[in-house]
Amino acid sequence: MTDVLMKPIMTIMGIFIIHFFIMLQLIGGGNGERTKDQMYEKIDGSSACYRRLNATHQIGCSSNRGGSTGTIHVCDSKRDLNFLLVNGTAFPYIPVLPVKYFNVENLERMIESKKVSGLVLHLNNETLKSLDYFTHDYQCPNPYSSLTDTCNEVSTWNPYGTGLLYRDIPFPIFYIDSYEEVLKMRNCFEKFNNFSYESQSDRSLCSLELKSFMYATTNTPTCRRRSNIITNLNPVKFCDPLGDSNIWASLYPLADGPRRNETKPLKDYKYIIISARLDATSMFDKTSGANSPVTGIVTLLTVAKYLKEILPIEIVREKKTNILFILFNGETYDYIGSQRMLFDMLKGYFPLKGAAEDNILPVIRPENVSLFIEVSQLGNSKDRLFVHHLTKGNEVLGFYEKLVEYGKPLLKFDNVSDSLPPASLHTFMKKIPTFPGLLIADHKHSYSNHFYNSIFDNSTNIGFQYYDVLENDDISIPTDSIQQLIANLSETIGKSVFEEVSQTKYNGVERADVILANELLYCYLEDPNCRVHRAIQRGNKLPKIPFSLYVGVDHVTNFMTSFTSLTLGWLTGVVEKGDVNCTNKPRNYAFKFYNMSKSIVDLNTTLCYKITMNTTEAVSPAFIMPDYNWTSGEFSTWSESTWSEINVRMFLKPSAAHEKMSIAIGCISVIFSFILVYFVKSRSHILFTPPLPTEAPTDC
Amino acid sequence: MTVVEFFGCTLLAFGPPFAMFIFTIVHDPVRIIILIAAAFFWLLSLLLSSLLWFAVVPLRKDLAFGLVFAVLFQEAFRFLIYKILRKAEHGLKKITDDSATLIENKHILAYVSGLGFGIMSGAFSLVNVIADSLGPGTMGLKSGTEMFFLTSSAIGLCFILLHTFWSVLYFNAFDNKNKFQISFVVVSHLLVSCLTLLNRYQYYSACIVPLYVILAVTGCYAFKVAGGSYASFKVCISFK
């Protein structure tokens, strides 16, 4: 009997399965509307706070696996929040709070109340007007990797810093800057939640689900170890080291030769380094760093162009002093970029690993550096700038004198000795205490920027206004604008460096390019499709939002880094004369060749640029040393957790009463039907009179 | 979160058919085969309905069109399985251990195949909906009310039971060439299907109440056709 049965069963099952897949295809391919679409409303345009780890701690936030849910409560004032924390009955809640109430006090109360499972912050116009400060970095940024005693009672660099960026927050936080999305939540809240609070737990409530589950926990070593365990064929990565690339370029090539493929490194040079940092951060996956770092980057690029104009190659060759421009990346997270740069320099890996053996470029070591000039935040000054330094060397004081001299009458420089705000210079001076370095900034004892490393460090913060001008008539750009300040400073630095190199006074009349400063600020703060970016590359149109300045993880190159490196290459590059095809053949590892526009005025004329710019890896040495002692605190150990999805959706959470009713009805239905069917079955012989046997059909 | 709601709805819709399966089907392998074969025939009818819906592009948005043809296809396939079962009766007699009741009381074949039809149709109409109830939310944010899931399950249950009763009536009608019973089945099937169209306007009670009235009427009719009567019912519950 079983054989007879097996065949039709197998056939039927086979057809069943085929059938089922056809059905799935039809359902998937059709324009089906799912019940889910009716139940959930996606909230777009949100940026999450995510988790980072160092050698000892985890910071940031994470949702539960599968998302944290909570009842929406739109708070417009601190009173609303208090009311919720004291009187709320339908917890867990997710307060929707204007961003200005995000501070230590409120956050701690939310954590202590245990009634909060997530937080949504939003921007409103009122906040923008009334915000005096908003910075969540430490009061002393980078406390563990800076020189000791540089941040003290006198010089607390970031006095409004709350340190929340470095707190381990037990619930997810999202930031939403779209007004419409906030309105959606507000309407839902008014419709379902915002009345008779005592009975909230008895009715369906408008709720939010915040999904930002972070895979990494505890600290970087733990997460690295877990990532390296091979348990199956599909290894899981829990965290990635923070990092990107440092950008460097020399004013004139580091190698020279008769023909393109026969260059020799120019050895025994001294180098003046002009540097700035390239990154910023914020609580959320959205940054804006007008004051720090954009003012510094723009100054550096303007100086590069200015020096190219005033300092002829003959002087550089004669005096054997070249200029290096370096943009350090990841400086916000314990000086990742400069730590790696110094590490490479000490090993002889800068500017190129294997430079010594291959004879391509000269090896540059810290002792070859005759002066290190770092440009920091400049946005909150009109004409007064501060030169910070720690060494008493003649180079530094001499350079300060030159700055004062050339700055007249537009700029006033103050000498702040024995002081150094957080800067890449810390890394160098920690290893080499006599390192000749100075830092130019707009602050003396504490940042004049009250929005350091926050989303509000935007163009408004530095009072930037773009002037759409191409001709160099300085009248159109006001003399008290940030563009003019940057141009004046660039000019002063340029002239001082000229004198530093040539040992003679600069007597020319060349001015720094204020139009370039204007354009560059516009590029970084408002529209990446600006003239400079169109001059250096021919890519697709970019969205009109500023580049993210967050350093990111090591295997992803930021737009910021690639565009800035090309800009620096363009400004320091040499135009190849004559009829050349712009390819690097025969290959020369000392240069790159790019077709770029002649100038921002003439975008359509392209020239071939031979450029010296290159990038070096900016990943902390801790991650490349196989036997690094994680507890030593020598190098930055920051890593970022991985995640699979980040999203926010709104829905109606059924009340407990309704859920109980559902399950009760289900159970009653089952029990009742079991009894009834058993009863009918056991008494079917009475219930149904058997039919007459003759009634069988005749046609079979 | 609403795993609770998920279980409530699943139990409501599939509890009674499960009880029927346990007590009346599971002890006889032949009945299981017939149940599955019937379910398969329902699927074939769905395939044809969906092909038709897919082919007639301009009417895709009109649920009523697809619905009417789906009902007609289902009834056609119910007739097909009737024909096949009647042809297979002799073969079944050889392999079943329980030939006396299964073949002699031909309502049993009708009941089993009806339940197969019903279970498959219930599964297909509910699986999508119930799967969506597993998330943290419930209906009511944009449209519908929170009763949506319970209503859907109740309607699903109603259809499973209706299919069972319809098959009993339908098989008997073809055995006896009773045109009235055939048209009763087709018309009531069309009627209840069209009633569910009201759901999208959220007239849940306008749908559920008539549906269960029709279920009760059909149930009584099938009871009578299967050999039951008021007298036998009285005898049955009086425990004499």
Side-chain angles (χ1 to χ4, degrees):
Chain A
M1 184 179 128
T2 45
D3 272 7
V4 181
L5 280 178
M6 281 312 278
K7 218 171 174 188
I9 289 178
M10 293 304 281
T11 321
I12 287 177
M13 290 308 273
I15 297 171
F16 235 109
I17 291 165
I18 292 167
H19 210 105
F20 191 69
F21 278 110
I22 293 172
M23 283 312 303
L24 280 184
Q25 288 289 316
L26 284 177
I27 291 168
N31 41 5
E33 190 180 297
R34 291 205 54 177
T35 316
K36 261 199 169 73
D37 306 334
Q38 294 290 313
M39 293 161 62
Y40 298 98
E41 172 82 47
K42 208 167 173 318
I43 306 285
D44 293 317
S46 57
S47 31
C49 143
Y50 34 66
R51 183 173 283 166
R52 296 185 193 92
L53 312 120
N54 67 8
T56 49
H57 289 82
Q58 61 178 36
I59 62 160
C61 4
S62 164
S63 74
N64 294 333
R65 191 181 276 274
S68 297
T69 59
T71 313
I72 292 186
H73 194 94
V74 179
C75 305
D76 287 322
S77 62
K78 216 173 141 182
R79 224 184 54 210
D80 289 350
L81 184 67
N82 288 345
F83 173 79
L84 168 77
L85 296 181
V86 176
N87 300 337
T89 53
F91 44 83
Y93 282 101
I94 294 183
V96 178
L97 203 63
V99 79
K100 74 170 162 184
Y101 296 116
F102 183 64
N103 54 35
V104 180
E105 186 207 342
N106 285 344
L107 187 77
E108 273 180 352
R109 293 195 42 223
M110 281 188 254
I111 294 172
E112 274 165 24
S113 75
K114 301 219 189 298
K115 285 184 180 178
V116 172
S117 64
L119 181 62
V120 172
L121 300 171
H122 67 92
L123 186 63
N124 55 7
N125 291 335
E126 201 188 318
T127 305
L128 276 181
K129 275 181 231 137
S130 63
L131 211 56
D132 293 328
Y133 52 84
F134 191 77
T135 166
H136 298 302
D137 210 311
Y138 284 124
Q139 293 197 330
C140 297
N142 283 349
Y144 306 112
S145 48
S146 296
L147 289 164
T148 45
D149 294 335
T150 49
C151 185
N152 46 41
E153 294 85 29
V154 184
S155 305
T156 307
W157 299 114
N158 192 25
Y160 298 107
T162 59
L164 287 181
L165 189 57
Y166 295 93
R167 277 281 289 267
D168 182 23
I169 298 164
F171 46 73
I173 301 178
F174 278 72
Y175 170 74
I176 295 176
D177 58 2
S178 147
Y179 176 72
E180 289 80 41
E181 302 295 329
V182 178
L183 192 67
K184 264 193 221 168
M185 292 190 274
R186 187 180 291 277
N187 289 342
C188 186
F189 167 69
E190 295 293 344
K191 190 174 165 195
F192 294 100
N193 299 9
N194 195 16
F195 50 90
S196 54
Y197 279 88
E198 312 75 53
S199 65
Q200 262 202 341
S201 50
D202 302 331
R203 61 175 196 263
S204 296
L205 293 170
C206 195
S207 304
L208 276 180
E209 181 187 65
L210 308 180
K211 213 178 252 186
S212 64
F213 179 68
M214 300 290 151
Y215 290 126
T217 56
T218 320
N219 54 35
T220 300
T222 309
C223 131
R224 298 277 290 177
R225 175 170 51 73
R226 288 181 184 163
S227 302
N228 290 334
I229 299 171
I230 298 166
T231 47
N232 55 21
L233 293 175
N234 186 15
V236 188
K237 212 171 181 188
F238 294 100
C239 64
D240 294 297
L242 290 189
D244 194 13
S245 300
N246 295 322
I247 303 167
W248 69 270
S250 57
L251 186 65
Y252 288 106
L254 301 175
D256 195 21
R259 270 175 292 279
R260 197 194 259 196
N261 57 337
E262 291 174 24
T263 55
K264 287 267 171 317
L266 299 166
K267 289 179 182 166
D268 306 322
Y269 268 58
K270 287 274 170 202
Y271 298 93
I272 294 174
I273 291 179
I274 300 175
S275 85
R277 65 165 63 182
L278 196 57
D279 72 311
T281 190
S282 94
M283 277 298 284
F284 316 103
D285 184 16
K286 178 181 185 339
T287 58
S288 53
N291 208 336
S292 166
V294 168
T295 50
I297 299 170
V298 172
T299 308
L300 182 138
L301 294 172
T302 315
V303 172
K305 181 172 184 217
Y306 184 63
L307 272 175
K308 195 86 190 175
E309 283 160 6
I310 64 164
L311 188 63
I313 188 166
E314 293 76 27
I315 297 182
V316 170
R317 291 284 150 84
E318 184 200 341
K319 302 286 180 187
K320 290 202 148 206
T321 306
N322 208 338
I323 322 287
L324 283 180
F325 299 96
I326 306 183
L327 286 161
F328 294 108
N329 215 333
E331 296 296 281
T332 315
Y333 288 97
D334 284 331
Y335 311 125
I336 297 172
S338 51
Q339 283 186 350
R340 179 60 184 272
M341 177 72 79
L342 182 64
F343 179 82
D344 285 348
M345 277 182 168
L346 292 171
K347 289 212 157 186
Y349 292 167
F350 182 77
L352 207 63
K353 194 172 178 180
E357 305 91 61
D358 298 340
N359 220 19
I360 297 166
L361 289 170
V363 178
I364 301 174
R365 294 177 185 281
E367 54 267 29
N368 303 126
V369 178
S370 63
L371 188 61
F372 186 100
I373 304 154
E374 180 160 356
V375 192
S376 180
Q377 307 174 37
L378 304 164
N380 293 84
S381 166
K382 289 283 166 257
D383 56 355
R384 193 154 176 237
L385 294 167
F386 299 89
V387 178
H388 297 261
H389 58 90
L390 285 173
T391 45
K392 296 277 177 284
N394 286 332
E395 305 95 337
V396 173
L397 284 174
F399 193 78
Y400 164 71
E401 306 278 309
K402 291 186 189 87
L403 285 175
V404 172
E405 189 62 31
Y406 286 110
K408 282 175 194 163
L410 294 168
L411 296 175
K412 288 191 272 297
F413 288 92
D414 280 7
N415 182 15
V416 194
S417 55
D418 283 326
S419 159
L420 192 59
S424 313
L425 195 49
H426 278 273
T427 309
F428 290 89
M429 299 203 69
K430 222 173 168 182
K431 265 264 162 32
I432 310 149
T434 55
F435 195 75
L438 58 91
L439 177 127
I440 304 171
D442 65 355
H443 48 266
K444 191 173 187 187
H445 291 308
S446 63
Y447 292 163
S448 45
N449 170 18
H450 294 174
F451 301 95
Y452 177 70
N453 277 347
S454 85
I455 44 175
F456 296 114
D457 186 5
N458 49 21
S459 48
T460 325
N461 185 29
I462 58 168
F464 168 68
Q465 199 187 347
Y466 176 59
Y467 295 93
D468 193 1
V469 286
L470 282 173
E471 291 306 311
N472 199 359
D473 51 348
D474 300 346
I475 312 122
S476 53
I477 299 175
T479 45
D480 60 348
S481 64
I482 178 76
Q483 291 94 315
Q484 290 287 3
L485 175 85
I486 286 178
N488 292 339
L489 176 63
S490 305
E491 197 174 311
T492 311
I493 295 175
K495 286 174 181 169
S496 310
V497 169
F498 177 89
E499 193 185 327
E500 188 76 28
V501 176
S502 68
Q503 309 293 332
T504 53
K505 286 248 175 252
Y506 177 73
N507 296 317
V509 289
E510 202 69 46
R511 302 294 316 271
D513 192 349
V514 67
I515 301 289
L516 178 75
N518 179 45
E519 279 295 326
L520 284 169
L521 284 170
Y522 181 62
C523 292
Y524 291 124
L525 300 180
E526 279 162 30
D527 187 4
N529 303 296
C530 57
R531 290 197 188 99
V532 174
H533 288 173
R534 277 185 281 151
I536 56 169
Q537 52 89 45
R538 297 276 184 274
N540 295 330
K541 206 165 156 49
L542 297 155
K544 202 187 166 183
I545 42 167
F547 289 140
S548 167
L549 296 163
Y550 173 56
V551 59
V553 294
D554 58 346
H555 54 83
V556 182
T557 303
N558 294 339
F559 276 115
M560 178 68 190
T561 311
S562 8
F563 277 81
T564 308
S565 60
L566 286 174
T567 310
L568 182 60
W570 182 56
L571 294 173
T572 55
V574 183
V575 176
E576 286 279 89
K577 295 207 174 56
D579 187 22
V580 283
N581 72 334
C582 208
T583 51
N584 194 356
K585 276 181 189 145
R587 194 123 179 87
N588 185 323
Y589 292 96
F591 302 108
K592 293 179 177 189
F593 294 86
Y594 287 112
N595 276 314
M596 289 171 171
S597 298
K598 192 178 163 197
S599 70
I600 53 170
V601 185
D602 192 358
L603 288 176
N604 292 328
T605 312
T606 51
L607 300 169
C608 183
Y609 281 83
K610 178 171 91 173
I611 64 179
T612 59
M613 177 279 299
N614 212 332
T615 55
T616 63
E617 208 179 27
V619 177
S620 168
F623 294 98
I624 54 167
M625 292 162 75
D627 52 350
Y628 178 68
N629 176 10
W630 292 100
T631 53
S632 68
E634 193 185 356
F635 295 117
S636 167
T637 51
W638 289 107
S639 64
E640 183 185 290
S641 169
T642 57
W643 63 84
S644 63
E645 60 175 333
I646 286 189
N647 60 46
V648 180
R649 56 184 189 170
M650 187 168 71
F651 59 90
L652 207 59
K653 184 166 69 180
S655 62
H658 176 75
E659 289 191 333
K660 281 174 198 150
M661 184 181 78
S662 299
I663 194 80
I665 290 179
C667 292
I668 290 168
S669 149
V670 170
I671 294 166
F672 182 71
S673 57
F674 264 78
I675 294 169
L676 184 74
V677 174
Y678 180 75
F679 177 74
V680 172
K681 158 86 178 161
S682 62
R683 300 181 72 81
S684 61
H685 56 283
I686 306 170
L687 209 48
F688 302 103
T689 47
L692 298 171
T694 48
E695 266 190 24
T698 47
D699 61 338
C700 60
Chain B
M1 201 71 108
T2 41
V3 174
V4 182
E5 216 176 0
F6 169 80
F7 278 107
C9 293
T10 314
L11 290 180
L12 171 60
F14 296 108
F18 183 65
M20 284 149 83
F21 180 75
I22 292 289
F23 287 123
T24 59
I25 310 284
V26 92
H27 61 87
D28 184 1
V30 173
R31 292 187 190 190
I32 296 176
I33 294 172
I34 292 172
L35 182 92
I36 297 210
F40 173 66
F41 271 78
W42 187 88
L43 275 180
L44 282 181
S45 82
L46 179 65
L47 177 68
L48 281 190
S49 317
S50 50
L51 282 178
L52 182 78
W53 171 84
F54 197 65
V56 186
V57 179
L59 290 176
R60 264 190 209 176
K61 293 270 177 208
D62 283 314
L63 264 182
F65 163 77
L67 180 135
V68 169
F69 277 90
V71 169
L72 296 180
F73 276 122
Q74 284 176 43
E75 293 309 327
F77 274 89
R78 209 199 296 277
F79 175 69
L80 220 61
I81 193 155
Y82 163 76
K83 270 290 178 206
I84 287 170
L85 282 180
R86 285 293 174 260
K87 283 245 189 292
E89 235 162 38
H90 278 299
L92 288 175
K93 205 177 276 175
K94 281 182 196 140
I95 55 170
T96 181
D97 310 323
D98 192 17
S99 72
T101 51
L102 187 69
I103 303 303
E104 279 156 23
N105 186 350
K106 55 196 174 6
H107 297 302
I108 290 177
L109 278 183
Y111 161 79
V112 171
S113 60
L115 188 60
F117 242 63
I119 286 176
M120 202 32 108
S121 106
F124 263 76
S125 58
L126 278 181
V127 160
N128 276 339
V129 175
I130 289 190
D132 281 355
S133 76
L134 257 181
T138 192
M139 280 296 265
L141 184 68
K142 292 185 200 167
S143 64
T145 70
E146 55 181 13
M147 295 306 287
F148 174 82
F149 287 112
L150 274 181
T151 317
S152 302
S153 312
I155 293 173
L157 171 64
C158 181
F159 267 87
I160 296 173
L161 297 178
L162 272 173
H163 270 292
T164 316
F165 299 150
W166 282 330
S167 278
V168 172
L169 279 174
Y170 203 69
F171 280 36
N172 182 65
F174 275 104
D175 282 345
N176 301 329
K177 308 277 185 295
N178 186 337
K179 292 217 175 72
F180 171 73
Q181 284 179 358
I182 295 171
S183 46
F184 175 81
V185 169
V186 177
V187 169
S188 62
H189 194 170
L190 273 173
L191 181 67
V192 292
S193 300
C194 290
L195 275 174
T196 59
L197 288 176
L198 291 176
N199 267 338
R200 60 159 51 179
Y201 308 109
Q202 293 155 40
Y203 302 135
Y204 292 145
S205 46
C207 174
I208 291 250
V209 173
L211 232 56
Y212 274 83
V213 170
I214 293 170
L215 175 68
V217 171
T218 317
C220 292
Y221 198 5
F223 175 65
K224 187 169 158 275
V225 163
S229 62
Y230 183 60
S232 71
F233 179 67
K234 268 212 297 202
V235 173
C236 174
I237 56 169
S238 63
F239 290 97
K240 275 178 191 159

